[in-house]
Amino acid sequence: MVEVRFFARLRESLGCTRLALELDEAITLGQLKARLAARGAPWQQALAQCAVLAAVNQEMADDSVLVQPGDEVALFPPATGG
Amino acid sequence: MVEVRFFARLRESLGCTRLALELDEAITLGQLKARLAARGAPWQQALAQCAVLAAVNQEMADDSVLVQPGDEVALFPPATGG
Amino acid sequence: MNTSIRILDTALDPAALTETLLATGARDRGALVTFVGMVRDLIDDPVYALELEHYPGMTEKTLGDIVARVRSRWPLGDVLIAHRVGRLQPGDPIVFLGVTASHRIEAFNACQALMDYLKTEAPLWKKEVTPHGERWVEARDRDRVAAARWKTILEQQ
Amino acid sequence: MNTSIRILDTALDPAALTETLLATGARDRGALVTFVGMVRDLIDDPVYALELEHYPGMTEKTLGDIVARVRSRWPLGDVLIAHRVGRLQPGDPIVFLGVTASHRIEAFNACQALMDYLKTEAPLWKKEVTPHGERWVEARDRDRVAAARWKTILEQQ
């Protein structure tokens, strides 16, 4: 199991705040995103944007980072605070 | 007549806050400083310092600036506020 | 040498935070620089409200990392960061940064670098409520350029 | 777009001045940068008090000229400068600068330039009261260098 969180524009366009993904062994963040994209057209479109950033356990991460069962993954657009 | 004011370290070393100098016609600031230096050794020493700055009518001025009767002249060390 | 990071869902009071930074009584601090970011409301582009979303936990962690990075570059006294989340009105303060140091150059540089890093790295997102509906604010290239500038400056030294 | 210049012989209150700048309600101001300079008191070089002398009239005039120079370079909202004269204690604020602008870069640059100019140009002089007696503070080369830097920046643009 891994929890995936979505924020801001991505959260709104997916209509999803949190999602629990079955996960028995480590996969890369890229593989995890591919599994999410396979959930249907809205997911594919939303995740295909180059402006989708990711964090694993609250650290910024690229597609090569390994996600372990129990990790917290988050996907979100570039920051616009301040 | 021209009023000459002294500030900070210069004021203290001269023991003088303000001085009224007789002045019937315009002279340069350099000439005015020479007249002050002629008042004696303490004046000559204090004014010979390269760090003595001057203002005429509250505008920074160099030795070539003309001083007219009625002007306000001030002599002081480099600023250390802020 | 205190670091304070506050995420607030109620009003942010820059004057009170300034007072907090001055009240520490650390006598080797000769300089305080503060920055306040506020909700703008332009005549030709009115904004009724601003909604600030964030990633709880990661926001605080990221801001802590940013402060550590800046402290490793400049000798600083206290650092205080406060950021609003939730719904804000035009004119409301969004963010407050305050940095004390022995001398002004360090305080100015550190405050500006903190703000540039915060803008691009802290997981916070703005949505504007306008007469034409809601819109998510787009990240700006100039903010990325501003943040990247410090990386160059840090590597040169 | 107000400019306020205050020479104070009683306590300077940075929090209250910050509040003043925020209370204008100008909604096109997205950024406020403030600077506070304070009397330092170092363990290995104690200072009992600081005496600030100035040239009344010329101080206000010079600060006004400095603000005009900075306004001609960057688009700014309000500018507030307050400077203490008279006798101060360690920890007391000596000077407050506050600058509002649409964006942070202008507010940061203008505030820093104002401070660099003020240090070298405003006719104000500090005398420290120490355990070894009174001493006039010496002007520092690094302040002249900092002020000269803006001249170069302004001429390049």
Side-chain angles (χ1 to χ4, degrees), chain D:
Chain D
M1 227 184 70
N2 184 46
T3 297
S4 176
I5 291 168
R6 309 179 189 185
I7 305 300
L8 307 169
D9 57 8
T10 53
L12 189 165
D13 184 344
L17 296 172
T18 298
E19 196 58 53
T20 301
L21 282 161
L22 291 171
T24 64
R27 289 185 163 185
D28 57 338
R29 316 286 158 79
L32 164 65
V33 172
T34 77
F35 172 82
V36 183
M38 292 159 283
V39 182
R40 295 170 73 209
D41 177 24
L42 305 178
I43 290 164
D44 56 355
D45 187 15
V47 169
Y48 294 158
L50 191 69
E51 287 181 4
L52 253 299
E53 179 173 338
H54 79 129
Y55 182 174
M58 183 169 170
T59 307
E60 294 85 341
K61 182 184 175 304
T62 304
L63 293 176
D65 291 348
I66 289 171
V67 173
R69 198 184 316 160
V70 167
R71 281 194 183 280
S72 73
R73 171 62 189 88
W74 294 287
L76 304 177
D78 298 319
V79 176
L80 197 165
I81 302 182
H83 204 295
R84 274 298 310 274
V85 294
R87 193 173 177 97
L88 286 77
Q89 303 300 318
D92 281 356
I94 304 168
V95 58
F96 173 92
L97 299 184
V99 177
T100 67
S102 293
H103 301 290
R104 71 187 184 284
I105 182 74
E106 288 84 8
F108 271 115
N109 280 335
C111 190
Q112 199 164 0
L114 280 174
M115 194 57 209
D116 289 342
Y117 287 141
L118 183 155
K119 278 257 180 193
T120 50
E121 296 183 29
L124 287 143
W125 302 276
K126 289 193 188 107
K127 186 163 69 175
E128 292 173 339
V129 183
T130 78
H132 314 292
E134 299 183 344
R135 65 177 180 219
W136 289 96
V137 171
E138 296 286 340
R140 294 180 312 182
D141 278 337
R142 70 170 170 218
D143 288 328
R144 280 191 285 271
V145 170
R149 188 170 60 97
W150 294 106
K151 187 164 187 295
T152 312
I153 291 170
L154 265 65
E155 281 170 357
Q156 279 170 350
Q157 283 162 340

Side-chain angles (χ1 to χ4, degrees), chain B residues 7-15 49 77, chain D residues 53 125 135-139:
Chain B
F7 290 97
R9 189 201 302 263
L10 199 61
R11 173 181 57 71
E12 278 193 353
S13 58
L14 293 173
Q49 292 168 35
Chain D
E53 179 173 338
W125 302 276
R135 65 177 180 219
W136 289 96
V137 171
E138 296 286 340

Side-chain angles (χ1 to χ4, degrees), chain B residues 15-81:
Chain B
C16 179
T17 300
R18 290 167 188 255
L19 189 79
L21 269 192
E22 285 303 321
L23 192 70
D24 297 324
E25 56 185 10
I27 59 173
T28 67
L29 182 63
Q31 290 170 324
L32 184 146
K33 283 159 77 177
R35 276 181 59 180
L36 290 173
R39 295 171 70 87
W43 291 78
Q44 190 168 8
Q45 281 161 26
L47 294 172
Q49 292 168 35
C50 60
V52 173
L53 304 177
V56 175
N57 297 328
Q58 305 189 355
E59 290 274 5
M60 296 302 295
D62 64 27
D63 282 356
S64 69
V65 167
L66 274 184
V67 178
Q68 311 281 348
D71 281 352
E72 178 179 297
V73 175
L75 298 174
F76 44 76
T80 57

